Amino acid sequence: MTSATHSTLFPPVPDTADAVLDGLDPEQREVATALHGPVCVLAGAGTGKTRAITHRIAYGVRSGVYLPAGVMAVTFTNRAAAEMRGRLRELGVGSVNARTFHATALHQLQAFWHKAVGGHMPRLVERKVQLVAEAAARSGLRLDRNELRDVTGEIEWAKVTQRVPEDYPASVATSHREPPRDPAEIAQIYRTYEQLKQDRMVIDFEDVLLLTVGVLQAREDLAQWVRNQYQHIVVDEYQDVSPLQQRLLDLWVGDRGNLCVVGDASQTIYSFTGATPDYLLDFRTRHPSATVVKLVRDYRSTPQVVHLANGLLNQATGRAAEHRLELVSQREKGPEPVYTEYGDEPTEAEGVARHIRDLIRSGVPAGEIAVLYRINAQSEIYEQALADLDVPYQLRGAERFFERPEVREATTALRGASVAGRNDSLLDHAVDLPAQVRAVLGTKGWTAVPPKGSGAMRDKWESLAALVRLAEDYARAKPDATLADLGAELRAREEAQHAPTVQGVTLASLHAAKGLEWDAVFLVGLTEGMLPITYAKTAEQIEEERRLLYVGVTRARLHLALSWSLSRSPGGRAHRRPSQFLDGLRPGTGSRAARAAAGGAGGIERGPAVRKRVRRGPVLCRVCGKTLTEAGEMKLMRCEDCPSDMDEALYERLRDWRSHQAQELGMPPYVVFTDKTLMAIAEAVPSNGHELAVISGVGARKLDRFGTDVLAICAGEEPGGVDEAGS
């Protein structure tokens, strides 16, 4: 049987329709040959659902039943749509369109606007945060960055669940949501936001769906055109559909039955965005004649990982749990999952980092390892622990740098200046490449001194400053480089952001990990209050948290490690307890039957002994004396809000030195020292090895390796060059 997850890089295109079916298991083949009528595919994690539905489309086209232009394949993310297009191309049907819900709706809206509405279609606002911020200000409300993001999410939820501003407060109460601000305040921001869009004749992504629904409802001729054009519709990840998306899908399908949906109710983890598995679970009721196929053969994970996943769902309750799929691994036996209990978070991070280093030394590629956590704020301590061991990593889920509006505008300006060359008066007094970049970006908001405080202005400045530093680094590496050369470098970096060139361990939230897989997965911070998260109160919310852990478990192919810590910081009270979802699964808890369902699940390890830390007990802010609990604050030895006395010039010299070190050693800059560690050094300005060693992120090993250089820079002297120990 051909694996569903590890195909060759360039597989040969099947030469006949029947050849498309080669290598499919019986259930996948049943999906691929069910070309007519409503079809519902219930597909567990790792069972080859994308393989099944792309082969279904390809078999339909290659056998002459489908016309390529008559197939509409929709999913929920650009990554998933790109994967589907790639699979279809490999099967010889690359002309079939596979898009996201939003992209499909936008394409139709653009095509129908002039006929249905007239005039020019409103401009699409891709990032609504700034408009929400303005709406808040006009409503007399001030939001910090986190509140702004959360309020934006609330507006998106209200729109996809089809709630108008007036209905929002009551909807929050009935849905048991915990909004970031008073519901009446959010309703006011929502109302003002909608008015701002109307005044400026712009629309957002949710409006694309709403307006497409409106057009197709109002114009039966256009709705019929869509139905005639697309005779066969396939929807992937159907458990994630929202009420608004389902409403649009109903208009696309009409009273025809040629609809195929694929999903797994046990992987519903986006209900906070309006997603609901009810449409998947009710599909047979809505379509009594539907063909239902279950995919349960797991080609991704070992029996040990699958047993744990099944055991986790065996304890679930609720409607989704009633329809859970019992997976059956198709792989050979592997190592048992490892459970590890640590005394505190830093020790947990260090233990996980050492385990990862050992896996890499044993031959597991760094890119095939992931550390998954519940919230993004947990990443920093693992970034530091991996950097301390020279283990490269990459963050997943952060906003892509080159997609930021200010970066797009800046790169456009740089390209324009490179074309104008010396005819551009901006460059009259710029003697080298960095000076040219500073001159151009000075017109876009960059200044030699950063703006005070935080917020959007500071964020924009940081983006532009990153381009300035990149130009300085590039000029040092290539002294003869021109603006055109830098432009080519920027284009290459932008193109590579979808496939990072650094082969690093992935750090990601459990939500961001959906749809991905690795040879080794570390699930960390599995404590009550974190998973399930503390604000999950209702039974439905608790069960979604369980499904989130299930998604994390099923990302692992071979190695799986689960860990938790009893306290936040060294010397803290050990008051935490492991996640309730591990009860009956980890050794020493629950019944023998429950442990058997989890496949034995190995044994609990105690966190290995770690080097003695210089600083024990509570960490106090050196400015106000408050006890620090956040990893970033503990690194800086001060509260985030307390004033910084950082030597900006020293910080920049340290950054320049770090860039040179990283280039000489062939490693990413953060492996030398993270930005937070450099900030802490620039604030403390240590004068000897002891003062440097107590700064979080330095430690004995990096003190030996880089201490002489760092102390020289702090003293205003020139560093001695690359340390021999690191070469």
Side-chain angles (χ1 to χ4, degrees):
M1 187 60 60
T2 303
S3 166
T5 57
H6 287 294
S7 61
T8 57
L9 187 59
F10 297 104
V13 175
D15 53 4
T16 66
D18 288 341
V20 172
L21 304 178
D22 291 346
L24 299 181
D25 67 31
E27 294 79 24
Q28 292 171 346
R29 181 181 285 255
E30 186 178 356
V31 173
T33 55
L35 299 180
H36 298 286
V39 177
C40 179
V41 183
L42 302 176
T47 58
K49 68 176 179 63
T50 305
R51 178 182 177 84
I53 59 174
T54 52
H55 279 68
R56 178 181 186 269
I57 294 171
Y59 182 66
V61 172
R62 300 289 294 275
S63 62
V65 177
Y66 297 168
L67 292 174
V71 179
M72 177 194 295
V74 293
T75 186
F76 288 83
T77 67
N78 289 322
R79 183 191 57 77
E83 180 184 359
M84 193 181 295
R85 288 193 296 270
R87 300 272 191 107
L88 292 170
R89 187 167 52 252
E90 291 171 357
L91 294 170
V93 290
S95 56
V96 172
N97 277 321
R99 296 188 177 107
T100 64
F101 256 103
H102 284 89
T104 303
L106 180 60
H107 179 75
Q108 293 178 11
L109 192 62
Q110 290 169 333
F112 297 151
W113 187 270
H114 182 72
K115 183 180 293 186
V117 182
H120 294 290
M121 181 176 153
R123 180 174 59 86
L124 177 64
V125 176
E126 295 188 2
R127 303 181 187 279
K128 61 173 69 69
V129 171
Q130 294 299 328
L131 207 54
V132 173
E134 184 174 346
R138 291 198 177 193
S139 301
L141 300 169
R142 295 187 62 183
L143 305 179
D144 62 29
R145 182 188 294 182
N146 291 330
E147 285 180 319
L148 183 58
R149 181 193 61 204
D150 293 341
V151 168
T152 301
E154 287 298 294
I155 292 174
E156 291 172 349
W157 171 81
K159 296 184 74 167
V160 300
T161 55
Q162 303 173 84
R163 271 98 167 181
V164 296
E166 290 70 27
D167 296 339
Y168 174 78
S171 300
V172 167
T174 56
S175 60
H176 304 289
R177 293 179 73 83
E178 291 195 9
R181 298 284 294 242
D182 181 272
E185 292 180 339
I186 295 179
Q188 178 58 44
I189 296 172
Y190 180 11
R191 188 179 301 108
T192 307
Y193 168 75
E194 291 297 316
Q195 186 61 52
L196 280 173
K197 288 197 290 105
Q198 183 177 337
D199 293 343
R200 297 175 185 181
M201 295 195 64
V202 298
I203 59 175
D204 60 26
F205 276 110
E206 290 71 43
D207 292 328
V208 170
L209 300 181
L210 285 163
L211 289 169
T212 306
V213 165
V215 166
L216 297 182
Q217 281 184 330
R219 293 288 299 267
E220 178 61 26
D221 59 327
L222 298 179
Q224 194 58 50
W225 185 92
V226 172
R227 295 165 195 156
N228 292 337
Q229 172 68 31
Y230 298 107
Q231 299 289 322
H232 303 275
I233 298 178
V234 179
V235 183
D236 192 13
E237 301 287 3
Y238 192 54
Q239 77 279 350
D240 290 334
V241 75
S242 70
L244 179 56
Q245 288 164 332
Q246 181 61 46
R247 189 174 167 193
L248 179 57
L249 181 61
D250 289 340
L251 287 165
W252 285 340
V253 175
D255 56 4
R256 295 177 295 116
N258 286 331
L259 171 66
C260 175
V261 300
V262 189
D264 179 10
S266 296
Q267 296 189 66
T268 304
I269 59 173
Y270 294 107
S271 66
F272 62 92
T273 67
T276 172
D278 289 346
Y279 300 112
L280 175 66
L281 299 178
D282 292 338
F283 192 84
R284 189 67 178 269
T285 302
R286 291 161 57 91
H287 304 275
S289 63
T291 298
V292 178
V293 183
K294 294 183 179 180
L295 302 183
V296 297
R297 302 177 195 243
D298 188 327
Y299 296 95
R300 175 187 299 159
S301 305
T302 63
Q304 288 71 20
V305 173
V306 168
H307 288 159
L308 175 55
N310 287 337
L312 186 61
L313 286 190
N314 284 340
Q315 301 182 16
T317 60
R319 191 167 182 231
E322 294 171 0
H323 295 79
R324 61 180 173 267
L325 300 169
E326 189 82 9
L327 299 178
V328 181
S329 176
Q330 305 298 296
R331 296 191 58 175
E332 295 181 355
K333 290 184 177 180
E336 295 286 353
V338 175
Y339 299 80
T340 309
E341 183 176 278
Y342 294 92
D344 54 70
E345 286 185 2
T347 305
E348 181 180 5
E350 291 178 7
V352 168
R354 281 199 303 277
H355 194 166
I356 289 173
R357 180 192 59 190
D358 293 343
L359 278 179
I360 294 173
R361 287 176 175 175
S362 72
V364 179
E368 288 294 346
I369 302 173
V371 178
L372 306 181
Y373 34 76
R374 177 61 179 85
I375 60 175
N376 287 321
Q378 293 172 270
S379 74
E380 184 173 22
I381 196 168
Y382 291 92
E383 294 178 55
Q384 182 63 62
L386 291 170
D388 284 346
L389 296 182
D390 291 347
V391 175
Y393 65 85
Q394 52 186 316
L395 287 170
R396 185 174 186 87
E399 179 186 36
R400 292 191 177 101
F401 178 80
F402 287 100
E403 291 183 2
R404 298 174 186 172
E406 64 269 21
V407 174
R408 288 180 175 180
E409 185 179 351
T411 53
T412 299
L414 289 171
R415 282 195 291 269
S418 70
V419 173
R422 284 299 172 182
N423 294 323
D424 191 334
S425 60
L426 276 174
L427 308 181
D428 285 349
H429 302 291
V431 297
D432 55 17
L433 177 60
Q436 293 172 350
V437 171
R438 287 192 289 267
V440 173
L441 298 190
T443 67
K444 302 301 177 184
W446 179 83
T447 56
V449 178
K452 294 182 179 180
S454 58
M457 289 298 295
R458 179 64 185 239
D459 290 343
K460 177 179 180 179
W461 185 89
E462 292 288 357
S463 297
L464 299 178
L467 290 174
V468 171
R469 288 194 294 268
L470 177 62
E472 292 168 348
D473 293 342
Y474 190 67
R476 276 192 289 269
K478 298 184 176 182
D480 298 329
T482 64
L483 267 179
D485 296 329
L486 178 63
E489 172 70 11
L490 291 174
R491 282 192 295 273
R493 287 172 176 261
E494 184 174 2
E495 291 170 359
Q497 67 186 358
H498 297 291
T501 54
V502 175
Q503 173 69 304
V505 174
T506 298
L507 299 179
S509 71
L510 288 164
H511 283 101
K514 177 73 168 63
L516 303 174
E517 58 187 81
W518 296 269
D519 284 344
V521 169
F522 291 79
L523 302 175
V524 300
L526 302 180
T527 61
E528 286 292 294
M530 188 56 72
L531 197 71
I533 198 74
T534 184
Y535 52 75
K537 305 293 186 184
T538 68
E540 290 182 357
Q541 291 169 339
I542 294 293
E543 286 307 312
E544 179 145 336
E545 293 289 299
R546 186 193 307 275
R547 294 194 296 270
L548 196 54
L549 179 57
Y550 173 78
V551 166
V553 168
T554 55
R555 300 310 94 194
R557 299 190 192 109
L558 180 62
H559 304 280
L560 178 62
L562 305 93
S563 63
W564 60 92
S565 54
L566 299 179
S567 68
R568 178 187 291 272
S569 55
R573 183 167 63 90
H575 66 285
R576 292 175 169 176
R577 75 178 193 88
S579 169
Q580 60 185 274
F581 301 142
L582 301 181
D583 292 346
L585 302 178
R586 61 187 177 91
T589 63
S591 66
R592 178 173 296 180
R595 289 195 297 274
I604 288 188
E605 298 181 358
R606 302 300 170 186
V610 297
R611 60 178 172 79
K612 184 177 180 181
R613 291 173 172 269
V614 176
R615 185 172 60 249
R616 290 288 184 184
V619 180
L620 304 180
C621 173
R622 55 188 171 81
V623 179
C624 69
K626 175 185 173 183
T627 299
L628 303 177
T629 57
E630 296 297 329
E633 293 181 338
M634 293 168 68
K635 184 182 296 295
L636 292 175
M637 292 290 289
R638 64 171 174 81
C639 300
E640 199 75 43
D641 296 333
C642 282
S644 168
D645 53 358
M646 183 177 72
D647 185 331
E648 294 277 357
L650 174 57
Y651 178 64
E652 290 303 322
R653 290 198 301 275
L654 288 168
R655 285 183 62 92
D656 290 342
W657 165 82
R658 182 184 66 172
S659 176
H660 176 73
Q661 286 284 328
Q663 185 177 8
E664 290 293 329
L665 298 173
M667 60 176 62
Y670 59 74
V671 174
V672 180
F673 286 119
T674 65
D675 284 348
K676 278 286 177 62
T677 299
L678 292 186
M679 290 175 64
I681 294 171
E683 290 187 354
V685 194
S687 59
N688 55 55
H690 175 73
E691 292 177 358
L692 179 59
V694 299
I695 295 174
S696 179
V698 178
R701 186 168 155 280
K702 290 197 174 182
L703 179 66
D704 292 341
R705 191 172 190 179
F706 303 120
T708 301
D709 278 5
V710 171
L711 290 173
I713 295 170
C714 289
E717 302 169 357
E718 288 296 319
V722 178
D723 189 87
E724 292 298 323
S727 58

